[in-house]
Amino acid sequence: MATATPTSTPTPQAPAVNRLNRQLPDYKGLPSTLCAGCGHDVITGQIARAYWESGVEPWSLAKLSGIGCSSKTTAYFLSKSHGFNAVHGRMAAIAAGVTAANRRLALIGVSGDGDTASIGFSHFLHTVRRNVRMVYVIENNGVYGLTKGQFSATADRGSVRKGGVDVNESYPIDCCALAIEMGCSFVARSFSGDTKQLLQLLKAAIAHPGMAVLDVVSPCITFNNHEGSTKSYKFAKAQEDPLHEIGFVPHFEPMLVDVDPGKTKVIDLPDGGKITLTKLATDYDPANRAGALNLLAQDKIERRFHTGLIYHNPSPSLSFIEQMGMVDEPLATLPQSSTRPGREVLEQVMESLS
Amino acid sequence: MATATPTSTPTPQAPAVNRLNRQLPDYKGLPSTLCAGCGHDVITGQIARAYWESGVEPWSLAKLSGIGCSSKTTAYFLSKSHGFNAVHGRMAAIAAGVTAANRRLALIGVSGDGDTASIGFSHFLHTVRRNVRMVYVIENNGVYGLTKGQFSATADRGSVRKGGVDVNESYPIDCCALAIEMGCSFVARSFSGDTKQLLQLLKAAIAHPGMAVLDVVSPCITFNNHEGSTKSYKFAKAQEDPLHEIGFVPHFEPMLVDVDPGKTKVIDLPDGGKITLTKLATDYDPANRAGALNLLAQDKIERRFHTGLIYHNPSPSLSFIEQMGMVDEPLATLPQSSTRPGREVLEQVMESLS
Amino acid sequence: MGTATEIAPSAAATYTGETIVNDLVIEVATSNGTGSQSANLVLMRSIFRMGVPVGAKNLFPSNIQGLPTWFTIRANGDGWIAKRVAPDVFIAMNEESVEDDLAKLRPGAVLLLRTALKGFLKRNDLIVYECPFDEMVKDVDVKLRKMVVNMAYVGVVGWLLNIEMEAIDAAIHKQFAAKAKAAEINVVCARKGWAWAAEHLRKKDPFLLRRLDKTKGKIIVEGNNATALGLTFGGCTFLAWYPITPSSTCAEALIDYLSEHRKDAATGKATFCAVQAEDELGAIGMVVGAGWVGARACTTTSGPGISLMSEIAGLSYFAEIPAVIVDVQRMGPSTGLPTRTCQGDMLKAYYLSHGDTKHILFIPKNPKEAFEMGSRLFDVAEHYQTLVFMMTDLDLGMNYWMSDRFEMPTHREDRGKVLTAADLDRLGQFARYKDVDGDGICYRTLPGTDHDLAAYFTRGTGHTERATYTEKPADWQRNMDRLARKFETVRRELPPPEEDLTGSPVGVIAYGTSDEAVAEARHLLRLEEGLETDYLRVLALPAHVRVKEFLSSHRVTYVVEQNRDAQMRAIFAAEFPESASRVRSVLHYSGDPIDARSVVEGIVKQEKR
Amino acid sequence: MGTATEIAPSAAATYTGETIVNDLVIEVATSNGTGSQSANLVLMRSIFRMGVPVGAKNLFPSNIQGLPTWFTIRANGDGWIAKRVAPDVFIAMNEESVEDDLAKLRPGAVLLLRTALKGFLKRNDLIVYECPFDEMVKDVDVKLRKMVVNMAYVGVVGWLLNIEMEAIDAAIHKQFAAKAKAAEINVVCARKGWAWAAEHLRKKDPFLLRRLDKTKGKIIVEGNNATALGLTFGGCTFLAWYPITPSSTCAEALIDYLSEHRKDAATGKATFCAVQAEDELGAIGMVVGAGWVGARACTTTSGPGISLMSEIAGLSYFAEIPAVIVDVQRMGPSTGLPTRTCQGDMLKAYYLSHGDTKHILFIPKNPKEAFEMGSRLFDVAEHYQTLVFMMTDLDLGMNYWMSDRFEMPTHREDRGKVLTAADLDRLGQFARYKDVDGDGICYRTLPGTDHDLAAYFTRGTGHTERATYTEKPADWQRNMDRLARKFETVRRELPPPEEDLTGSPVGVIAYGTSDEAVAEARHLLRLEEGLETDYLRVLALPAHVRVKEFLSSHRVTYVVEQNRDAQMRAIFAAEFPESASRVRSVLHYSGDPIDARSVVEGIVKQEKR
Ligand SMILES: Cc1ncc(C[n+]2csc(CCOP(=O)(O)OP(=O)(O)O)c2C)c(N)n1
Ligand SMILES: Cc1ncc(C[n+]2csc(CCOP(=O)(O)OP(=O)(O)O)c2C)c(N)n1
Ligand code: SF4
Ligand code: SF4
Ligand SMILES: [Mg+2]
Ligand SMILES: [Mg+2]
C-alpha cells in the first residue's frame, strides 16, 4: 500500500502478494553472472520489485535489451516474461516493432551507455521521437563494461581511465538532455545507490503512457570505480543531489495521506496513478522544459548530479501506437479473415490494371 | 572588401580576383543536374562564392557528402578541390578520418536532412561531439528529394505531403538544437532564399576553428513546395525572421566602417576575422546557450523560423585535431622514417616477450 | 471527345511496300521530369489494347528532372517481349542525348526526328521522318506544352505504324483516369500528331502493327506493385522501410494497398502498421522485433540496404525469428547505379551476415510470380522461423510488364509451430529450441501468451534447447547442426525449379528476370544454330535437388546471370561440387536488362570453343 | 627472495615408476576474475624457461568475473603444441564446474583436487592428489588470498612434474615485472605449494618435464599483440575502432605501441591518430576517409563488426580507397560466442558487401606471421587501392603462443601509384580511373596536393576514367571489368601458398590457426595409418594459381576449416570449379580451437568410405 505524506514518501511495506496474488519471486530471474557489487544488479532488483508492486502480469511484459553487462540483466529479472537480448545498439528499433506487433504488451528495455549513446544512439533518439510506450532504462557507468572498460560517450571530460593513464577528452553525452530535446515526456535520472528513489521512478515510468527514459548511474565496480572516475560509487554517492523526494501511488491503491500542497506536488497520470514530488532544498518544476535543460546544462558544467524526475510533460503527445491508428487486437494474432482482403478486392485491382 | 556599418552589412562588391589572384570560376563546379529552381543550387552558388571571397586555395579544401540531391552538389562547386560523395549517412564519420589524415585540409561537408537527421544521425552528433573542424551544411528541405519526396525527420508535425493525403505525425528533429546539445560552438540557421545572410554565415563558418553547423532551409521545388509544407519557398520566405544582420570581415581585410556598439556586436575570431551582428527587432545574444535552446524550442512550438547565428561559443573547446596531439605534418605524407620505429624498438619488445 | 470518324486513315491504308508486321522495337528519347512517361505508357497500352503482346523498359537517370531518359517498347506477335537492343523506330525528342542517340542507330532504322534537332542528323542510312512536334501543339496553353508535345509523337507514330486511334484514345483515358480534363487535352494532341502525319508524311518503312487477340485478360503492371499486392494478400501486418531506389515504390504501393484494403470494416482501423524507419538498420530491427512477437513483418530495400541489414539478418537466422526482406536489386557494388538493373546481390543475400549463416531466397521472374511468391513469404518465414528474401530487381520492379491476371490465393495461411496457452496447458512443458519433430524446426510461443510457461529468452548467443545461455561446445555445435538440418528441410520443401527438357546434352539455367530473354534465346539458338537446349529456372534457394540432377545430367550447363561474378554459379559450385566443372557462365552486367541476343552470343561463343 | 637452495627436491628425485617425459597436457579449472590467469601464465612460462616447447589455450566465459574458465597448457618435446583434448593433469579449483570437469576426465588422468571440492569426486579411475591449496596460503593477507591461492597450485604441480623452481621464480618475476612486491608474495606462495607437496605427496603418475633447449630465442606472445606490432612497424598512421571481443586487445595493444614508439623525437607529438568510434560504421567510415587522404588507416573488429562494415567495404572496393580491417574471428553467427574461436567469416569477408565485390584476405597462422603480414597490410592496401582484411581468430589473437622472434621489416614501404604535384606538372594531365599500366591499377592523387590538376571526384556510383559521373552501360562495364582485372593482378602477386609435397595423391589444405593441428595430424596419419599426405596452406585470398594446381593434381583434397559451412571450400569451388568434385571437408566448429585428433578422424573416416 502506497502512502504519501507531506514530508516523505516511504517505500511501501512490501506485502506478501501483489494485486494479482503473485509473490515477489514470480518477478525474479536467473542468478546474475555480473561482478559481485555491480550497480546493474541493484537496478535488476528494483525492476523486479517495481513490476511486482505495480501488479503487472509477467506474461504481459516483454523485456528487451542490446548487448553489454547491462543488457544481460534482462535475464536476471522476470523469468516469466519473454526476453529478447538482441544485438548491440538496436534494441530501441526492435522495441518499435515489438509494440506494433502487440500493442497490449508492456515493454521494458534495458541498455547501457555504450549501447544507447554510441552504437544505438540514432535508434534511441528516433524511438524517443516516435514515442514508443516503454520503460527505457540506461544503466550508465561511463564505460563499456563487457568489453573491459573503454570510455563510453557518457564519460565526463577529464575522467581518468582505470590504471590512471588515459584521460577522457571527449564531450560527454547527456541522454536525459537529448531525450528531452527529442520530445520525450518522461525523463528521469537516478542512481543505483538510491534504491528508494529508483523504485518510485520505475513505478511511475511503468504507468507513463509513452516513452519513459531513466538514466541510472550504475557504477562499474570492476572498471570504473576508482579515484578520478565520475561514475564511481563513491563519487555518485557523494554528489547525488535529489531534486525532490518522489513517491508513486498506483491507480489501484488509495492515496492514504493528505498532501501539503505547499510542499508536495501531485502529478495525476492518465491511468489514475499519481506521482508525488515532495520539495527538498529548492523548488523544481519538472514540467518546465527549459528549466530542465538548463539544470542539465549547469550540471554538466558544474559536475553536479541531480536525480529525480527531471522532465515530465503533463500532456504528452500520442504514443507511437496511437499515432498508427491500428485495430485494438494485437496484429500478431489477427486471423487470416482480417489480414487477407477478399477476392473482390483482387478483382477490382486487376480490373484497374487491365 | 568587406565593410560593416552600424545599420547593415552589405554583400561586398565582388572583385574580379581574390587575394590568391583567383577568379570566381576557379571556385565553380560542373553544371548542376538538380531540378531547375532547387534551393540546393542556390546554396551551391554561395558556397563557391564564400570560398572565393575567403581566399581559400581550392586544392587545400576537401568536399565531402553523403547521398541525396543535396549531397550531389559537392560536384557543382569547386572542381579544383578533391570531392568525396560517399555513402548515405556516413559523411560525418568520414570527415573525422579525412581531417586526421591531413590536418591542413579545409573541410566542407554537404548533407541533407535525411542524410543527417536519419541514417547519419549518430555520426553527425558524434562528429559534433568530437568537434571536427569543418563547415557542415545541412540542406534542409523536410523531404528525401532524391528518393522522391518521403518525409524526412525534420518535417514539421502536421506537414502535408505532396498530393495532399499524408500528414506528418512525427516530432521534428531540430539539427541546430541537437548540435548545441552536443557541444557545437558554431550553430547557424539560414534559408536558401536569403543569399546575403547565407554568404556571410558561410564565410564565418569557414573561419571558425571547430565544427560549424549550418542548417539551411532549402526548398525542394519538386516534392515539397506546396501548400501545407513548412519547407516551401513561400512559407520560408514569409516566415523567415532574421535574428540580426550578419556581416563577416576576414582576417586579411580591414574593418572599414566604425561600428555602433549599441547596435552592432563584433565577435573576434581566433584567426583575426570578425563577425558583426547588427541588431534587428530584438536583442539576441548568440553566446547564451540556454537562450539559444529556448529560442529553438519556442520556434518549434510557434512554427517560427529564426535565422542567423543561433549559437556561438566564444571560447570553444579543442578541435578534434588539437585533442589528438598529432605532429604538424599531415599523417598522409609522413615518410617511412617517421612511421617505422627503429630496429632497437623491435629488439626491446622482443626482449620483453622472451 | 472526338470520335474515330474524324480521323484520317493510318499509313497502312495506302502503304504498298514490304511489311514487317507485329515485330518491332520503338525507342523514345526524352528528358526526365517532362511528362514523357505518360505518353510512353499510352503508346505501350495502345499496342496492348490492339491485342499485340508488348513489353517496355524505361531507362531513366538517377536524378529527378532534366536528364536523358529512354523508353523502349517491344511489340511482338509471337510474344517475345524481352529487352531487344537496336530499336527499329526511334523517336528523338531530347537535345542532350541526340548526338549519341543518332550515332547508335542501326542502319535502316526509322527515325522520327523532332524538327528542332534536325541539325544533329549526320547520317543518310536511316529512314527519317522529320516531325515538327512542337509546332503541332503550339496552340496548347504554354504551361502544358512541354508535357503534351509528347502526345504528338504518339499520334504521329500511331499513324505511321497503324496503331488504332481507338486504342490510343482508350489508353489515354486509362492513363489519366482521374483527370478528365487532362485526358481531353492529351487526346487532342495525339490527334494533332496523327492529323499532321496523315497530311505530311508518306510511309517509307516496313513496320506495321495489326490487331491480334493475344492480350485478352492480361494486365499491365510494375513488379513492385505486384510484390506489394502479394504481400497485402499474404497477410502482411508490419512494414518498416527506408526509402531506396528501386524499392521505394514497392513499399509505397504496399502502404497504398494496405491503407485501402486493410482497414477493419467496423472501426475503420488499420490491420497493419507501416513505419518509415530512420535507416535500414532500424527497419530490419523493427521487422525482427515485430516478427518475434508474431506480426507478419517485412521490409523492402536494395543492395546498400541489405549490406546494412547484415548483422540483424544473422540474428534472424540464429535466434530463429521470422522476417521478410524484399530486395529489389540495383546495379552495385557500392551505391552503384540506383536506376539500373542487376542480379548482383544473389550470393550476398544467400550468405548475408558473418559466421555460418544462410537464408531462403525467392526469385520471381515476372509480376505474376512476384505476386504469388509475395503472398507466400510470410508463410515461409513463419513456417521455418527464419529470414526470407524475395530477390527481385529494378527491371521487374520498376518496369511495366504485361502479365496474366493474378489469382486469389487459396492456401490457408501458415503461422508455423506456435504454441498457445492452451497448448502449454496440454503439454505441461516447453523448450524453445528442441527439435521435437526431427525436421530442425522447433516450437515457439509469442510474447504476450497468457501462461507462466510461455516465456523464453531469445538471444543471438549460445543457447540450450531450453533457451538458457550456454557456452558449451557441444551445445553450440548441436544447435548449429540442427540449424543446418532445418535448412535441408527447407531445401526439400521449397518449390522445385521449372524445367523444359528436350533431351539435349546442353543445359541452360537462369533465374528471375532473365527468363524471358533466355526463352527467346533458346528459340533463336534452335532457329539459327540448330542448337536444342534444356532449360531449368531456379525459383528459390537453397536449390532443389532437381538442380543437382540437372547439372549432373548435362554435358554442359550455361548459367545465365545478370552480374559479373557468376554469383549463382558460385552457390551451385559450393553445394553441388560434383558438377561444378561442367558449368559455364553467360553474364550480363551493363545495367541494362538482359536481351536474348547477348545470351545467344554468350552460348554460341563457348559452344564453338 | 629466497634462493633455490631452500627448496626440497622435486618428485622426480625419488620417483622410480614408469615415466612420460615432456609430453603432457595440463588443464586448470578456475573462475574468471580471480587472478588465475597470472598463475597459469607463470606455469606456462616456467615450462618455456626449461626449454620445453609449450602451447596454451585459455577458455574463458563472456562475462567479467565469477564464471568458470579453463586454461590448458601443452608441453611437448617434439614441438607439437596445438590444442589436444583430454588433459593428462587436471587442476580442479572451481566449484561451479567441478562436477562436469571430473566427469569428463579420461581414465588414468592425474587430478589435483582442491580439498574443499573433494566431495565431488565420484570416480576411482583417476590418479588423485588432494591438495589443501587454501590451507597452504592461509597466512597470506585475506585480501590477496583469493589471488595467490592459484600460485600454490603452481608450486604443487611444479614439484610433481619436475618444473624447475628457478624457472618458476623467473616466470613470476617476468609476470609481475612492474610489481616487485606482488612478485615476492607470489614466489612465496609458489614455494609454499612446492614445500607442501614435497612434504605430503608421493608421486603416483608418470608425467615429468625435463630441461631441453628448444625454446631458445623464442618469445611468448598473444597474436593480437603481434598483429598490433606488425601494424606499428607497417607504418600505421590511423586507427579507428569500436571495442569488440576478441579484437579489442589488438586495438589496445596497437594504441599502446603507437603511444610508446611513434612519437616525434623532437616534439613528442604523435605520428598517428587513434579514435574510438561511435560504432563500426563510424570506424570504417573514418578509415576510408583517412585512407582516401593518404593515411595508412585500419580498424580492428570481429564478426558483428564486419557485418556492419559491409556497405562501406563495398565503397572501398569500388571507389578504390585503401583500407585495412583486422577481423579477429569469433564464433558466429549473430552475436555468437565472443570468447570462442572460429574461422566463420572467411566467405563473408571475401565477398563482403552487396553487388559484385571481392576483397583481399591475409590469413596468418601464428604470431610471427601476424606480425609479418600486419607489417605489409598497408603496402598491399595502398598498392592495390582497395580494402585488405587480415583474418585472424580468437585462438591466435587472445591465446599465448610460443613464437620465433619477429624480424625487423626490411622492405621499403609501398605507397602505391600516387601522383604528386611535380608528377602532375610533368604529365600535364590526370585521369583517376585510367588503366595506364594495364594491370587494372590506376593512379591517384591525395587531397591537399598543391596543383590545379590534382583534384578528382570520388564516388560509389558510376564513373568514367576521368572520375566524372556516368550511367552509360559501357562505362560501367568497362570499369567493372578493370576491377576484375585488378583482382587478377592481385591474385598473381599475393604470396603463394606454403606447400609440403610428398608425392601423395591425398592432399590437405588448411589455413590460419589450423596449421599446427594439421601438421600434427599429418604426422599422426603417417604414424598410425601409414597415410602420407601433401599439404598446402593458403596464406591469402584471392587464391594463388598454385592452389588450383594442387587441387587438380590430387585424387582428393581435404580442406580443413574451423567453420560449419566449408567456407574456404566454397570459394575454391567457385574459382576452381574444375576440381570441385575432388574436394572434401574436415570441419570443426565447436568453438574450441581445432586439434589434431579431430583432423585425423575427419580424414580417416572419409578415406575409409
Ligand atoms: C556490433 C557489436 N559491436 C561491438 C560489440 C561488443 N560489445 C559488447 S557490449 C559492448 C559495450 C557495452 O557497453 P555498455 O552498453 O555501456 O554496457 P555495460 O557493459 O557497460 O553495462 C560492446 C562494445 C558487440 N557485441 N556488437
Ligand atoms: C544505405 C542507403 N539507403 C538509402 C539510400 C537511398 N537514398 C538516397 S538519397 C536518400 C535521402 C535523401 O534525402 P536528403 O538527405 O534529405 O537529401 P535531399 O535529396 O532531400 O537533398 C535516400 C534515402 C541510399 N542511397 N543508401
Ligand atoms: S564489468 Fe562492470 S558493468 Fe560489467 S558486470 Fe562487472 S561491474 Fe558490472
Ligand atoms: S527533387 Fe527536390 S531536392 Fe532534389 S533536385 Fe529536385 S527540387 Fe532539389
Ligand atoms: Mg556502460
Ligand atoms: Mg532532404
Side-chain angles (χ1 to χ4, degrees), chain C residues 589-592, chain D residues 463 470-481:
Chain C
Y589 51 96
S590 68
D592 277 342
Chain D
H463 41 263
T470 177
E471 296 180 348
K472 290 199 183 135
D475 290 336
W476 178 270
Q477 192 166 335
R478 191 179 318 114
N479 190 49
M480 288 299 286
D481 287 339

Side-chain angles (χ1 to χ4, degrees), chain C residues 60-62 100 281 303-304 306-308 310-311 314-315 317-318 331-337 339-340 344-345 347-348 351 353-358 460-462 469-473 476-477 480-481 483-484 563-565 567 569-570 573-574 577-578 580-581 589-590 592, chain D residues 60-62 100 281 303-304 306-308 310-311 314-315 317-318 331-337 339-340 344-345 347-348 351 353-358 460-462 469-473 476-477 480-481 483-484 563-565 567 569-570 573-574 577-578 580-581 589-590 592:
Chain C
F60 55 103
S62 179
D100 269 16
L281 290 145
I306 67 156
S307 276
L308 291 171
S310 293
E311 190 194 12
L315 178 68
Y317 172 80
F318 188 66
M331 187 46 98
S334 197
T335 298
L337 295 177
T339 58
R340 295 293 184 272
D345 299 342
L347 182 69
K348 313 313 181 88
Y351 291 118
S353 206
H354 56 282
D356 289 312
T357 325
K358 289 186 203 173
T461 49
Y469 184 68
T470 177
E471 296 181 347
K472 290 198 183 138
W476 178 269
Q477 192 165 336
M480 286 301 285
D481 287 339
L483 285 166
N563 57 53
R564 183 194 67 182
D565 288 345
Q567 300 192 8
R569 183 182 167 194
E578 60 288 348
S581 61
Y589 51 96
S590 68
D592 277 342
Chain D
F60 56 103
S62 178
D100 269 17
L281 291 145
I306 66 157
S307 277
L308 291 171
S310 294
E311 190 193 12
L315 178 67
Y317 172 82
F318 188 66
M331 187 45 99
S334 198
T335 298
L337 295 177
T339 57
R340 295 293 184 273
D345 300 341
L347 183 69
K348 312 314 180 88
Y351 292 118
S353 205
H354 56 281
D356 289 311
T357 326
K358 288 186 203 174
T461 49
Y469 184 68
T470 177
E471 296 180 348
K472 290 199 183 135
W476 178 270
Q477 192 166 335
M480 288 299 286
D481 287 339
L483 286 167
N563 58 53
R564 184 195 66 183
D565 288 344
Q567 299 192 9
R569 183 182 166 193
E578 61 287 350
S581 62
Y589 50 98
S590 68
D592 276 344

Side-chain angles (χ1 to χ4, degrees), chain B residues 40-84:
Chain B
H40 301 353
D41 278 338
V42 179
I43 302 174
T44 294
Q46 297 313 305
I47 291 174
R49 179 167 285 273
Y51 280 99
W52 180 53
E53 293 189 5
S54 297
V56 174
E57 278 288 8
W59 53 260
S60 73
L61 174 74
K63 311 170 294 180
L64 309 176
S65 58
I67 301 285
C69 295
S70 34
S71 294
K72 282 186 175 185
T73 63
T74 43
Y76 311 145
F77 58 80
L78 278 145
S79 281
K80 295 187 196 310
S81 301
H82 275 79
F84 192 172

Side-chain angles (χ1 to χ4, degrees), chain A residues 34-35 38-40 69 141 145-146 219-223, chain D residues 64:
Chain A
L34 302 187
C35 305
C38 177
H40 301 352
C69 295
N141 53 17
L146 191 56
C220 171
I221 293 302
T222 304
F223 297 112
Chain D
I64 303 301

Side-chain angles (χ1 to χ4, degrees), chain B residues 33-35 37-40 69-70 141 143 145-146 219-223, chain C residues 64:
Chain B
T33 61
L34 302 188
C35 305
C38 177
H40 301 353
C69 295
S70 34
N141 54 16
V143 288
L146 192 56
C220 172
I221 294 301
T222 304
F223 297 113
Chain C
I64 302 302

